[in-house]
Amino acid sequence: MKAAPDPRLITRRRLFNRLMLSLCVGAAALSLGVLAFILWELVLRGVGALSLATFTASTPPPGSKGGLANAILGSLAMTGAAIVVAAPVGVLTGTWLAEYARRSKLAAAVRFLNDTLLSAPSIIIGLFVYALMVLPMGHFSGWAGAVALALIAVPVIVRTTEDMLVLVPDQLREAAVALGVPYWQVIMRVTWRAALKGIGTGVLLAVARISGETAPLLFTALNNQFLTVDMNGPMPSLPVAIFQFAMSPYRDWQQLAWAGALVISASVLMLNIVARTMAARGDR
Amino acid sequence: MNGISVETAQRRLPSGLFAELPFRWLTFGAAMLVMAMLGSMLVVLTIDSSPALGKFGLNFLVSSTWNPVTEIFGAAAPIAGTLITALIAMVVGTPVALGVAIFLNEICPHRLSGPLAVAIELLAAVPSIIYGMWGLFVLAPLLGAHVYPALIALLGPIPVIGALFQGPPFGIGMLTAGLILAVMVLPFIASVARQVLSTVPPMLREAAYGVGATTWEVARYVLIPYCRRGLIGGVMLGLGRALGETMAVTFVIGNAHRISASLLQPGTTISATLANEFTEANGDLYVSSLVSLGLILFAVTFGVLLCARFLLAQADRRAAL
């Protein structure tokens, strides 16, 4: 028989347990604290700088009043164009992976490359599109910016589409096939419809991701001080305008940068929350 | 299960159904496009970086001269900066992320853990430029005025370690960039860690509690060893992100092409150099040198992600058993 455990050892273990668990609680409190701190500063500085002119006037030269209308419009145009291209490519690729290829070797390769693209540094994507489009065309353009954003959006959509389609039970497909429905119609009418909310969530998350991206736009769309919808020329965007203004020494520009930062964070967080609630509803 | 499985149905149906094959080829084409994107990225970056890499050779990796005027370029400073800031981010971010994951899975009441996990994941959704602005306007002045002077006074005189904390406390510099990166990678690591921790079979946990282990001992000697691979995979994912992050770093790194021992001094990273200099670069050699930097970054992050995916896949297989 062993002797009774040393009470001092037990006390020490208990104390150590309490210490480590408090550190874990502290870690969680710290992370939430940082999130709160960032949001607090953002709201505090952003709200003061926000006005109607932020949405109606174009970016000003230093020292005069202005807004971010051209940057917001540029962001919307490029994000929109990127999603129009990325959503079909992404959904079709996800469909191929989940419906046709499944466990083939080629599918594993596509999956792996897609995951790599998903976490590739976004500035490298900017560099690539610069070499691919800006150099041959000879000038920066909104189209190049849109392509860079699309390259970032595609892997997000591929991933969520495949994940969502895999969740659709095979019995649904088998039931439809048993009725004599061609497989492509099974996909369009049964599995896509069953996974619609999940796929929508993926597209929304992709929009959220690319609307905050700055790095890939720096050498593709560049920037522009004027209100423009000409995708063939350099195009302003909200993140690049924020970058330019925040790094500047002028106070009004920095103010505008904070206003822009608030606008962009609010929309990105909103998109995320909408996507999450949509996904949660889809689960039920 | 009897009857026709999906696989055999796919094989039987196509003939005579006019849209089946076109649709199938359409989805296949999209998948090949995704593959081609990554492939052409590698090819284009290699072609465009060849002038600089051909001229400077291996010297490009070890020289820290970066002189656009004389057109002599060496990547040592940005490479060192990238590695150092990412290392700081991992050293600071990993323990905190693990703590968060243990808190959410083991300590926190069940009803709270869902919303708290969402809140921490929202931290990952905030655009990186916001972190950069917050770093430049809020964190850097705070650290420069209150924390760094104390660090210099406290640790500066100690030999060896002291060399890391020298010079005037600017506020911007490698340490600030590393800390911002730590905040950015934290939610990534925490969410992967939470997922792998929840794959531990309940019997293991119950057995450990049954022999009288404390909560911490269960976490330290049962949970963490059990999902070691998955946890390392999560940390590598975070590392991949920290290496490639651009905007958050560009704001606070100071963009100085030199290697200094002190973490409090300005430096630069590959991504920050690209963001700051690419649009202003003139001359083929300058542009090509910058593209080479990008290629190096791509290769490094690719390697890290490869390890991460491999480890995570192994962890998955183990969880499935």
Side-chain angles (χ1 to χ4, degrees), chain B residues 142-183:
Chain B
L142 197 75
L143 292 173
H146 302 292
V147 180
Y148 291 167
L151 269 185
I152 294 171
L154 197 70
L155 301 173
I158 306 174
V160 188
I161 306 177
L164 298 176
F165 303 97
Q166 294 296 334
F170 292 119
I172 56 171
M174 307 274 249
L175 187 56
T176 311
L179 290 177
I180 298 253
L181 284 178
V183 175

Side-chain angles (χ1 to χ4, degrees), chain A residues 45-76:
Chain A
R45 297 180 190 221
V47 164
L50 212 56
S51 67
L52 194 62
T54 313
F55 300 100
T56 54
S58 283
T59 44
S64 59
K65 292 246 172 270
L68 296 163
N70 55 338
I72 293 174
L73 185 70
S75 269
L76 287 177

Side-chain angles (χ1 to χ4, degrees), chain A residues 13-14 16-18 20-25 27-28 30-32 34-35 37-39 41-42 45 88-90 92-93 95-97 99-100 102 106 109-110 112-125 127-128 130-132 135 140 150-151 154-155 158-159 170-171 173-174 177-178 180-185 187-188 192 208-209 211-215 218-219 222 238-240 242-243 245-248 254 257-258 260-262 264-265 268-269 272-273 276, chain B residues 1-2 4-7 9-10 13 17-21 23-42 44-45 48 95-100 102-104 107 116-123 125-131 133-134 136-139 142 183 186 211-217 237 240-241 243-247 250-252 270-272 274-276 278-279 281 287 290-295 297-298 301-302 305-306 309:
Chain A
R13 281 174 53 202
R14 278 207 184 124
F16 191 65
N17 180 48
R18 191 149 311 162
M20 294 315 286
L21 292 191
S22 335
L23 283 180
C24 289
V25 176
L30 182 72
S31 322
L32 292 173
V34 168
L35 179 66
F37 191 10
I38 293 176
L39 292 181
E41 288 288 340
L42 196 60
R45 297 180 190 221
V89 174
L92 286 173
T93 306
T95 305
W96 183 76
L97 287 172
E99 301 286 347
Y100 288 115
R102 295 214 170 175
L106 193 57
V110 171
F112 172 72
L113 290 182
N114 187 66
D115 278 355
T116 312
L117 207 56
L118 187 67
S119 20
S122 55
I123 193 145
I124 305 283
I125 294 187
L127 214 53
F128 168 59
Y130 174 86
L132 195 72
L135 276 184
F140 298 99
L151 282 175
V154 164
V158 171
R159 196 70 208 262
D170 267 355
Q171 282 90 335
R173 299 187 177 93
E174 283 159 7
V177 167
V181 184
Y183 200 71
W184 67 281
Q185 291 218 337
I187 293 173
M188 295 227 265
W192 275 1
R209 167 92 199 267
S211 51
E213 281 289 350
T214 318
L218 289 174
F219 353 115
L222 202 66
L238 202 43
V240 175
I242 294 174
F243 180 50
F245 286 3
M247 293 291 255
S248 78
Q254 291 179 358
W258 279 107
L262 180 63
I264 217 167
S265 310
V268 168
L269 290 181
N272 262 282
I273 290 167
R276 270 163 208 282
Chain B
M1 221 168 45
N2 291 319
I4 303 174
S5 74
V6 171
E7 273 84 1
Q10 283 167 354
L13 271 171
L17 295 162
F18 68 100
E20 177 59 29
L21 272 183
F23 183 78
R24 192 176 179 152
W25 283 106
L26 189 67
T27 62
F28 179 70
M32 290 308 106
L33 187 67
V34 171
M35 263 178 115
M37 285 186 324
L38 199 87
S40 51
M41 229 157 106
L42 207 58
V44 166
L45 289 182
D48 283 11
V96 178
L98 273 184
V100 169
I102 292 176
F103 171 78
L104 288 174
I107 306 174
L116 287 185
V118 171
I120 288 178
E121 274 174 34
L122 283 185
L123 203 55
V126 175
S128 58
I129 189 161
I130 307 296
Y131 285 100
M133 279 186 79
W134 181 73
L136 179 66
F137 289 107
V138 182
L139 190 65
L142 197 75
V183 175
L186 195 156
V211 296
T214 61
T215 309
W216 167 252
E217 284 162 350
L237 271 190
R241 178 141 180 115
L243 288 168
E245 175 49 45
T246 309
M247 298 322 290
T250 306
F251 273 98
V252 295
I270 293 179
S271 51
L274 287 173
N276 275 318
F278 196 79
T279 42
V287 172
L290 287 167
V291 177
S292 310
L293 280 181
L295 185 67
L297 177 63
F298 192 54
T301 45
F302 189 79
L305 290 170
L306 204 67
R309 295 287 162 205

Side-chain angles (χ1 to χ4, degrees), chain B residues 44-313:
Chain B
V44 166
L45 289 182
T46 313
I47 293 174
D48 283 11
S49 61
S50 56
L53 290 182
K55 177 150 194 267
F56 302 116
L58 276 180
N59 219 14
F60 189 73
L61 293 176
V62 290
S63 157
S64 66
T65 320
W66 188 267
N67 193 335
V69 181
T70 56
E71 295 214 309
I72 293 177
F73 300 99
I79 292 175
T82 302
L83 297 179
I84 293 168
T85 50
L87 186 71
I88 297 173
M90 299 330 283
V91 168
V92 177
T94 307
V96 178
L98 273 184
V100 169
I102 292 176
F103 171 78
L104 288 174
N105 270 26
E106 308 296 321
I107 306 174
C108 170
H110 217 69
R111 229 180 303 158
L112 261 180
S113 76
L116 287 185
V118 171
I120 288 178
E121 274 174 34
L122 283 185
L123 203 55
V126 175
S128 58
I129 189 161
I130 307 296
Y131 285 100
M133 279 186 79
W134 181 73
L136 179 66
F137 289 107
V138 182
L139 190 65
L142 197 75
L143 292 173
H146 302 292
V147 180
Y148 291 167
L151 269 185
I152 294 171
L154 197 70
L155 301 173
I158 306 174
V160 188
I161 306 177
L164 298 176
F165 303 97
Q166 294 296 334
F170 292 119
I172 56 171
M174 307 274 249
L175 187 56
T176 311
L179 290 177
I180 298 253
L181 284 178
V183 175
M184 293 192 65
V185 298
L186 195 156
F188 280 85
I189 305 178
S191 95
V192 176
R194 210 168 87 89
Q195 277 164 26
V196 293
L197 280 180
S198 63
T199 62
V200 178
M203 283 101 78
L204 280 184
R205 205 172 303 213
E206 284 157 15
Y209 279 121
V211 296
T214 61
T215 309
W216 167 252
E217 284 162 350
V218 172
R220 168 70 185 81
Y221 297 106
V222 179
L223 303 182
I224 293 181
Y226 184 83
C227 31
R228 197 177 43 228
R229 277 176 210 280
L231 291 177
I232 298 175
V235 171
M236 301 282 258
L237 271 190
L239 178 61
R241 178 141 180 115
L243 288 168
E245 175 49 45
T246 309
M247 298 322 290
V249 172
T250 306
F251 273 98
V252 295
I253 192 88
N255 202 39
H257 271 280
R258 58 159 186 255
I259 305 175
S260 53
S262 173
L263 298 179
L264 305 182
Q265 296 306 305
T268 191
T269 67
I270 293 179
S271 51
T273 306
L274 287 173
N276 275 318
E277 300 180 22
F278 196 79
T279 42
E280 284 154 22
N282 40 27
D284 289 346
L285 204 56
Y286 194 0
V287 172
S288 173
S289 299
L290 287 167
V291 177
S292 310
L293 280 181
L295 185 67
I296 293 168
L297 177 63
F298 192 54
V300 172
T301 45
F302 189 79
V304 169
L305 290 170
L306 204 67
C307 292
R309 295 287 162 205
F310 179 70
L311 289 167
L312 282 174

